Amino acid sequence: MRALPASVLAVCGLIASACGGTGSGGAAAGQAAPATTAAQASPSSATAKQAPPEAKPLDGKVIVIDPGHNGANYRHPAEINRKVNVLTQWKACDTTGTSTNSGYSEAAFTWDVSQRMTKILERRGAEVKLTRTSNDGVGPCITQRAAIGNKAKADAAISVHADGAAPSGHGFHVIMPKKINGPVDKVVGASSKLGISVRDAFRKGTGLPYSTYIGRNALDYRSDLGGLNLSTVPKIFVECGNMRNAGEAAKFQDPKFRQKIALALANGLQHYLEA
């Protein structure tokens, strides 16, 4: 910054506020501060004139993020393989998930993306709850994952995954529930709207194509997933791509691309909640 001439400094010493000083009145540098009246100086008057804090777009919204699988599941086969009732069938409590050919696990990927998404959504005012607190534990079971969203009375819930399909397949897809004469029936319509919002934002934000091997226009409806069947709040699964496809595996291992994924998912959730 250029130094002021001595004559100007002398004036500033006499009238600090006229030269944008750093006193509590706080005019911007180089701008004259307005004269302070006795009324403006009183605490009650200052409080009355304070602008209310700026509202955030997701204030008051509760979002549950379910990072698929868990990093230590493979060490506890008996625990994760025990059968639980998902209403349309009995399924394993949880699974290990898939991985890239180089060994980057789906559990690590979903945990990282979910952590990034949490920060974005919280900055936008949302209250965010996760179904697991680390990537070195076991489970929880798919039934418990649904229950966490239900207990939180989430405005929206999303389960983050990545697929392990044939290497030739690529692209992402979103999984939504079907009616099963069960608790999910009342939120099937809302879940479909959530799924479409997330699909559109994911495509725009990541540039990844619709899945070439499953679903139609990246949308897939299923009745065999406990995390959906048992949900009483709008909920979807997103398969962010195919970890067995070399191109997508490379993207998923790039932290910058995982940030893109997290931002796209957060945008999709916000679009749904603001609709």
Side-chain angles (χ1 to χ4, degrees):
M1 180 183 292
R2 187 178 60 181
L4 293 173
S7 59
V8 178
L9 290 171
V11 175
C12 289
L14 295 173
I15 312 172
S17 63
C19 293
T22 57
S24 60
Q31 295 179 344
T36 302
T37 66
Q40 288 173 328
S42 71
S44 60
S45 175
T47 302
K49 290 179 179 293
Q50 271 186 345
E54 186 177 349
K56 296 179 180 180
L58 295 178
D59 278 346
K61 301 297 184 183
V62 177
I63 297 171
V64 169
I65 301 175
D66 175 27
H69 313 290
N70 205 325
N73 276 1
Y74 73 97
R75 295 195 185 111
H76 301 268
E79 189 170 348
I80 66 167
N81 286 330
R82 70 181 181 85
K83 298 299 182 181
V84 295
N85 185 2
V86 303
L87 302 183
T88 56
Q89 58 185 280
W90 289 77
K91 297 191 75 170
C93 160
D94 202 7
T95 65
T96 60
T98 188
S99 68
T100 66
N101 290 337
S102 63
Y104 180 56
S105 73
E106 181 184 359
F109 168 79
T110 64
W111 177 244
D112 183 82
V113 168
S114 296
Q115 291 287 100
R116 294 171 184 272
M117 193 178 6
T118 296
K119 292 177 182 177
I120 296 168
L121 292 169
E122 287 181 339
R123 285 196 296 267
R124 297 179 185 183
E127 178 185 352
V128 180
K129 297 181 183 293
L130 293 162
T131 60
R132 58 184 174 101
T133 57
S134 71
N135 193 44
D136 55 9
V138 182
C141 285
I142 52 179
T143 49
Q144 293 171 282
R145 291 173 189 262
I148 291 168
N150 297 345
K151 183 178 179 181
K153 297 182 179 178
D155 295 288
I158 184 169
S159 191
V160 182
H161 288 263
D163 216 354
S168 58
H170 65 279
F172 77 96
H173 67 282
V174 178
I175 305 172
M176 292 160 290
K178 289 181 176 180
K179 288 187 176 182
I180 58 166
N181 292 320
V184 75
D185 287 11
K186 66 180 181 180
V187 293
V188 162
S191 297
S192 183
K193 291 177 182 177
L194 171 60
I196 291 170
S197 291
V198 168
R199 178 201 63 180
D200 293 348
F202 195 92
R203 178 73 178 90
K204 180 179 180 181
T206 67
L208 289 175
Y210 293 166
S211 172
T212 60
Y213 61 92
I214 194 169
R216 183 175 180 182
N217 296 326
L219 301 176
D220 188 29
Y221 295 85
R222 291 175 60 174
S223 61
D224 64 321
L225 297 175
L228 296 182
N229 287 358
L230 298 168
S231 182
T232 58
V233 301
K235 184 174 181 180
I236 61 167
F237 279 45
V238 58
E239 296 281 3
C240 296
N242 182 11
M243 297 193 89
R244 293 295 183 176
N245 176 274
E248 289 176 357
K251 287 182 168 67
F252 294 164
Q253 291 173 95
D254 178 359
K256 291 180 180 178
F257 196 82
R258 294 198 298 273
Q259 184 67 21
K260 273 189 175 183
I261 289 174
L263 180 58
L265 293 175
N267 286 345
L269 287 161
Q270 182 173 333
H271 293 165
Y272 165 75
L273 291 170
E274 290 181 330

